[in-house]
Amino acid sequence: MTEEQQAGLARFLDTAYGFLTTGYKEPARYNFDVCNVSPAAEVVPGPELGGSPQPCAGVGGRGDDAAVCRKMSGNSAPLMEESSVGNGTPLPAESAVENTMAELEEVAACVRECTLCGLCATRIKAVPGEGAQRPLALVVGEGPGADEDSSGRPFVGAAGRLLDQMLLSIGLDRNRNCFIANVIKCRPPGNRDPLPEETAACLPFFERQLAALRPPVILTVGKVPVKTLLGTDEGITRLRGNWKSYRGIPLLPTFHPSYLLRDESQKKFAWEDLKALCRRLAGIDPGYAAETAELRRARGI
Ligand code: URA
């Protein structure tokens, strides 16, 4: 039996089991609200994600790791000199980054070794980010929580499961076509908001990832990333759903999944934002448009 046939059989048995045990359920999922938080697809980072723990020396052929890390986190790399907190400097027309995978691995290795702010003293694991090398969307969160701190992967706790569900509802998946990162790569103790000096120390890593990934669209979740990237103090309730731009890339702020877990009544607004993102991506990428045509029709997007 081929893998495809096996998957089809598994789906059939799953549906039949659900039917026998809980009765018929409408199979179409019109938005992530009806999906609820229940079993998100297991998300396993691909090799390009630095998902399996890699010792720094294992990131091939980088020579003097410490020197590379100094370069990447300091002000010496050209893209970092351009970077500033704010909305001004666009990415260069031609990417200086020729090999995205190597670049992402280098950033990840440097993040794991980083001691540029006090968070290195309290972290268990740094969380560089993970996802597709050529993402349709770069999803940007605040910073790691306890689950992420212990696993070294972004958005793996309850909020992460909801985030995966939200993304899947519009055909996005960190294993295939989006990348998930945080503006802060190490957990602030007690999940407090990061301090300005912590954000300033960490932002060059994000900038480097952005320059390597060159996503057509950025989705920020929660107030910290939008405040960090756009330099605004406006509340997320006002900002969400309004397209902005960061370094020339369209950026859509929406609510953080943790907030949605605390207040489910806000999910309908997040769903509006996801629909807007889906429409925008369908206008940008013909492959995504074709792939999500049925989903968009069924979900009224
Ligand atoms: N919340 C975030 O903002 N980022 C994570 O990685 C996990 C929870």
Side-chain angles (χ1 to χ4, degrees):
M1 197 185 287
T2 65
E3 268 184 24
E4 205 175 324
Q5 287 167 332
Q6 281 173 12
L9 182 59
R11 269 198 306 278
F12 170 76
L13 291 174
D14 209 31
T15 309
Y17 177 77
F19 183 78
L20 290 172
T21 51
T22 58
Y24 178 73
K25 281 214 190 90
E26 174 58 59
R29 292 175 163 178
Y30 292 97
N31 66 41
F32 70 88
D33 203 18
V34 297
C35 300
N36 228 329
V37 190
S38 61
E42 167 112 29
V43 180
V44 181
E48 78 278 16
L49 314 180
S52 45
Q54 299 261 350
C56 192
V59 180
R62 293 184 304 116
D64 174 2
D65 286 340
V68 175
C69 293
R70 273 195 303 280
K71 175 176 158 241
M72 296 195 53
S73 55
N75 287 327
S76 55
L79 283 172
M80 279 176 214
E81 278 166 10
E82 288 169 8
S83 69
S84 60
V85 176
N87 197 14
T89 315
L91 288 175
E94 282 295 314
S95 174
V97 180
E98 283 169 9
N99 186 332
T100 305
M101 187 195 288
E103 187 71 359
L104 292 174
E105 284 179 350
E106 280 203 354
V107 175
C110 292
V111 163
R112 291 189 188 105
E113 288 181 351
C114 179
T115 55
L116 287 173
C117 82
L119 296 180
C120 66
T122 49
R123 75 176 175 223
I124 300 171
K125 285 187 179 168
V127 182
E130 65 185 32
Q133 277 182 69
R134 286 274 165 260
L136 283 168
L138 171 57
V139 182
V140 189
E142 304 184 347
D147 292 313
E148 292 75 22
D149 185 43
S150 52
S151 67
R153 297 180 53 210
F155 281 101
V156 290
R161 285 192 292 280
L162 178 56
L163 180 65
D164 283 335
Q165 204 92 51
M166 291 163 70
L167 296 172
L168 281 174
S169 74
I170 56 164
L172 294 176
D173 176 343
R174 66 172 95 182
N175 280 320
R176 244 168 24 88
N177 55 10
C178 69
F179 193 96
I180 302 186
N182 287 301
V183 281
I184 278 277
K185 311 296 191 197
C186 297
R187 183 190 183 202
N191 297 343
R192 63 161 169 74
D193 284 355
L195 303 172
E197 59 269 28
E198 293 162 351
T199 309
C202 214
L203 199 60
F205 294 125
F206 172 80
E207 294 287 358
R208 198 80 186 189
Q209 290 172 317
L210 182 67
L213 294 163
R214 303 183 68 80
V217 164
I218 298 172
L219 176 74
T220 58
V221 297
K223 86 171 184 273
V224 168
V226 74
K227 179 178 174 179
T228 304
L229 299 180
L230 303 184
T232 174
D233 274 326
E234 212 170 335
I236 186 64
T237 306
R238 291 179 75 91
L239 287 167
R240 62 138 285 274
N242 292 303
W243 284 97
K244 308 282 179 191
S245 158
Y246 183 69
R247 300 198 183 288
I249 302 171
L251 179 154
L252 186 67
T254 193
F255 287 134
H256 195 285
S258 300
Y259 175 63
L260 300 176
L261 288 173
R262 291 196 302 275
D263 185 352
E264 299 226 330
S265 71
Q266 301 300 304
K267 282 184 174 179
K268 57 180 177 290
F269 300 111
W271 175 236
E272 290 305 315
D273 302 342
L274 290 170
K275 286 197 293 185
L277 175 63
C278 184
R279 283 193 295 268
R280 183 112 188 196
L281 285 175
I284 292 174
D285 189 281
Y288 175 83
E291 204 178 282
T292 56
E294 174 54 26
L295 174 158
R296 284 183 287 123
R297 192 200 57 72
R299 296 176 189 182
I301 298 176

